């Protein structure tokens, strides 16, 4: 499948950045003593801040490259889509710069910025994908985005519920049974997988749209010959 040079460059940038982010976060899990089932990714700032920041920043850079892929591939991009994808990347980058607040050196201001940056990021990516459904109406690419979006939204809801009950558990409320059934660390990592799957799906959409456009441009030339 032939794609334009510009799209190839953006796609390479997106895949390398996202791949590096996944590599560093995997390495962080291998060398850390944290519990990946119950501990959130933010808690790694107390033991592996460099790897955590590197992985999140790489994912942010890769996400901007995904936006470049969509533009270079000729995908119809409403302004809302561009803003939401940028907010997703900005939220990730801000969360990487301002770590969560944990003992023994708590920083409440940084912790609040980190929390709300994550909220903005987690909500912005599925919202961006949602805004693409109408411009892609009637295409196979719409079905691809819709499938991955449904998975992402379902996982986001599950994570939101698990995060809420984890906060209630920390406050001393009797919800420990729920936090064991929906451990926040596991649901957050599942959400990360869903987000990466959605990002890679958007790259695939860009490639398909670009290839379709190139094929359509070749047809009149072939007919004239």
């Amino acid at each position: 499948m032939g794609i334009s040079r510009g799209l190839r460059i953006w796609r390479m940038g997106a895949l390398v950045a996202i791949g590096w982010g996944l590599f560093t976060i995997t390495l962080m899990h291998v060398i850390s003593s944290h519990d990946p089932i119950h501990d959130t990714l933010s808690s790694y700032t107390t033991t592996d801040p460099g790897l955590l920041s590197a992985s999140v920043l790489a994912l942010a850079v890769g996400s901007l490259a995904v936006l470049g892929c969509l533009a270079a591939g000729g995908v119809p991009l409403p302004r809302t889509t561009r803003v939401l994808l940028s907010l997703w990347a900005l939220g990730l980058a801000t969360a990487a710069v301002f770590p969560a607040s944990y003992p023994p050196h708590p920083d409440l201001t940084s912790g609040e910025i980190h929390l709300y940056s994550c909220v903005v990021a987690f909500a912005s990516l599925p919202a961006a994908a949602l805004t693409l459904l109408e411009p892609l109406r009637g295409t196979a690419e719409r079905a691809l985005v819709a499938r991955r979006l449904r998975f992402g939204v379902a996982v986001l809801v599950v994570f939101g519920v698990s995060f809420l009950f984890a906060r209630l558990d920390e406050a001393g409320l009797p919800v420990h049974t729920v936090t064991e059934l929906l451990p926040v660390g596991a649901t957050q990592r599942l959400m990360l997988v869903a987000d990466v799957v959605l990002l890679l799906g958007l790259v695939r959409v860009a490639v398909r749209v670009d290839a379709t456009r190139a094929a359509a441009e070749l047809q009149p030339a072939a007919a004239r010959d």
Side-chain angles (χ1 to χ4, degrees), residues 97-191:
V97 173
F98 294 92
S101 178
Y102 286 96
H105 305 293
D107 184 336
L108 297 182
T109 300
S110 178
E112 288 296 304
I113 294 174
H114 179 89
L115 174 62
Y116 290 110
S117 297
C118 289
V119 170
V120 169
F122 295 155
S124 295
L125 180 58
L130 182 64
T131 63
L132 280 175
L133 295 183
E134 183 59 32
L136 293 173
R137 181 178 294 277
T139 67
E141 288 72 30
R142 184 185 190 277
L144 187 156
V145 173
R147 286 195 302 271
R148 301 194 181 200
L149 177 59
R150 283 194 293 269
F151 174 58
V153 170
V155 174
L156 177 60
V157 170
V158 171
F159 168 67
V161 171
S162 67
F163 182 80
L164 173 62
F165 276 94
R167 282 300 185 95
L168 294 176
D169 190 27
E170 292 173 1
L173 296 179
V175 295
H176 188 67
T177 301
V178 179
T179 60
E180 287 299 314
L181 290 174
L182 290 175
V184 67
T187 58
Q188 187 186 43
R189 284 157 180 79
L190 183 59
M191 187 180 65

Side-chain angles (χ1 to χ4, degrees), residues 3-4 6-15 62-75 77 199 202-207 209-210 213:
I3 59 176
S4 64
L7 177 54
R8 284 199 300 270
I9 294 172
W10 281 113
R11 183 178 66 170
M12 178 62 69
L15 295 180
S63 299
L64 291 177
V66 170
L67 179 57
C69 284
L70 294 170
V75 178
L77 288 176
L199 287 172
L202 295 180
V203 173
R204 188 176 178 188
V205 165
V207 171
V209 171
D210 186 74
R213 180 181 60 179

Side-chain angles (χ1 to χ4, degrees), residues 65-106:
V66 170
L67 179 57
C69 284
L70 294 170
V75 178
L77 288 176
R79 179 180 298 177
T80 306
T81 308
R82 297 175 185 269
V83 170
L84 287 169
L85 275 175
S86 299
L87 279 176
W88 152 255
L90 179 61
L92 290 178
T94 304
V97 173
F98 294 92
S101 178
Y102 286 96
H105 305 293

